[in-house]
Amino acid sequence: MAAEIVNPRSDSSTGDEGGSEIADPFDPAFALHRGGKMAVQATVPIRDKDDLSLAYTPGVAKVCSAIAEQPELVHDYTWKSSVVAVVTDGTAVLGLGDIGPEASLPVMEGKAILFKQFGGVDAVPIALATTDVDEIVDTVVRLAPSFGGVNLEDISAPRCFEIERRLQEKLDIPVFHDDQHGTAVVTLAALKNAARLSGRTLGELRAVISGAGAAGVAIAKFLLEAGLGDVAVTDRKGIVSRDREDLTAVKRELAEITNKAGLSGSLEDALAGADVYIGVSGGTVPEAAVASMAPGAFVFAMANPNPEVHPDVAHKYAAVVATGRSDFPNQINNVLAFPGIFAGALQVRASRITETMKIAAAEALAAVVGDELSAEYVIPSPFDERVAPAVTAAVAAAARAEGVARR
């Protein structure tokens, strides 16, 4: 008889006590998550009293005293320089929306294990029981001495912009909102390779982004920084343009730097003759609007689980098609970016993550594809072992060149 395999962190009971009928113990997703997806593991052994006296008292006192006298030693004698806080308030979790801090924890644990798996970076999920901007900023500032970086995750717009900005101003460690910048980095990498495949430059392309939330705003700004010719961003009311009087402060700023063509109207109006569609909004784009795009267009429909344009439809009109899903070619997946970006920043003890570092990450990611470039392969797989080392090295080098590295 085979021995029963029991998760040591879980209760073996399958009764109703402490559980819920909607949590199906036979569903593989629930089975995998039972007891959580991560644990704390020591890096040094404690086998006898000598080990104990070194790892804890009295040996630890020497290290504490040294750090008190020379604070920079904390990077050498604690885990600070190799650990990231993954912080959320649970207000914009995946496609689930505002589900609260407790319900966000499975995603934050998942993010933490992706950091470790793909970047060798330890991460700690921190779900906060507040949605107040001041309270979130104050809490993260008070937690910061324990961490080498902060990854903001699944915080709704427009609060996410202010939270990131204020934390970057207050802290001297990298603060990175992955929903914004991770998405932007991977999108740029895929777009650079799509342009290379078609013999065009970024400057020759006009793009349309549906969605003016965290990802849409960041992608628009980042692509323009990288040299994109023009981009129009749309929200539920149409194209974000200077003539609209209903814009938030974030969208007013966006209107000042986008839509050089001066377009107005709907998403469908913007797509007529466009070279690139980037979807980060959900919903469905009519097939007729896709058909109206320029010949040889690129369609990056990244909503999950249902892309704004189904690949079968997109392939009728587009030269390159990408989605956010793993079951289609060209998956735009943030895991291609954030582990290596943080690994590179931590490696050199960077004080922040700059635009130059993010562009370096995108270029390194695009370069992994190399001569294998094709319409079905403009972005590498997250399981390509070349990805994280390439991004890490590029980000570290960029940090040193820009003067934000401290080692």
Side-chain angles (χ1 to χ4, degrees), residues 189-213:
L191 187 57
K192 287 175 72 70
N193 275 339
R196 178 163 70 95
L197 183 66
S198 67
R200 289 177 284 178
T201 65
L202 291 181
E204 298 175 77
L205 303 176
R206 178 173 75 83
V208 176
I209 298 173
S210 64

Side-chain angles (χ1 to χ4, degrees), residues 319-330:
V320 176
V321 177
T323 72
R325 289 174 47 158
S326 60
D327 53 346
F328 293 111
N330 297 324

Side-chain angles (χ1 to χ4, degrees), residues 175-245:
V175 177
F176 185 87
H177 185 206
D178 184 53
D179 300 319
Q180 294 183 60
H181 310 300
T183 309
V185 166
V186 184
T187 300
L188 174 59
L191 187 57
K192 287 175 72 70
N193 275 339
R196 178 163 70 95
L197 183 66
S198 67
R200 289 177 284 178
T201 65
L202 291 181
E204 298 175 77
L205 303 176
R206 178 173 75 83
V208 176
I209 298 173
S210 64
V217 170
I219 292 170
K221 291 181 176 180
F222 193 54
L223 293 183
L224 289 173
E225 180 78 17
L228 185 71
D230 192 14
V231 59
V233 182
T234 67
D235 61 12
R236 291 183 180 89
K237 297 183 179 180
I239 298 169
V240 175
S241 56
R242 296 181 182 181
D243 59 351
R244 280 179 50 181
E245 298 180 356

Side-chain angles (χ1 to χ4, degrees), residues 263-351:
L263 303 174
S264 60
S266 65
L267 169 64
E268 289 83 350
D269 295 323
L271 281 175
D275 302 295
V276 185
Y277 167 73
I278 298 169
V280 284
S281 63
T284 301
V285 178
E287 182 171 345
V290 182
S292 75
M293 295 178 69
F298 313 141
V299 171
F300 293 1
M302 300 189 291
N304 262 315
N306 300 311
E308 295 89 346
V309 183
H310 193 280
D312 291 344
V313 173
H315 278 298
K316 294 180 183 179
Y317 311 102
V320 176
V321 177
T323 72
R325 289 174 47 158
S326 60
D327 53 346
F328 293 111
N330 297 324
Q331 183 190 20
I332 308 293
N333 191 328
N334 289 13
V335 75
L336 289 162
F338 69 82
I341 289 174
F342 267 100
L346 293 175
Q347 185 180 95
V348 297
R349 293 183 192 165
S351 57

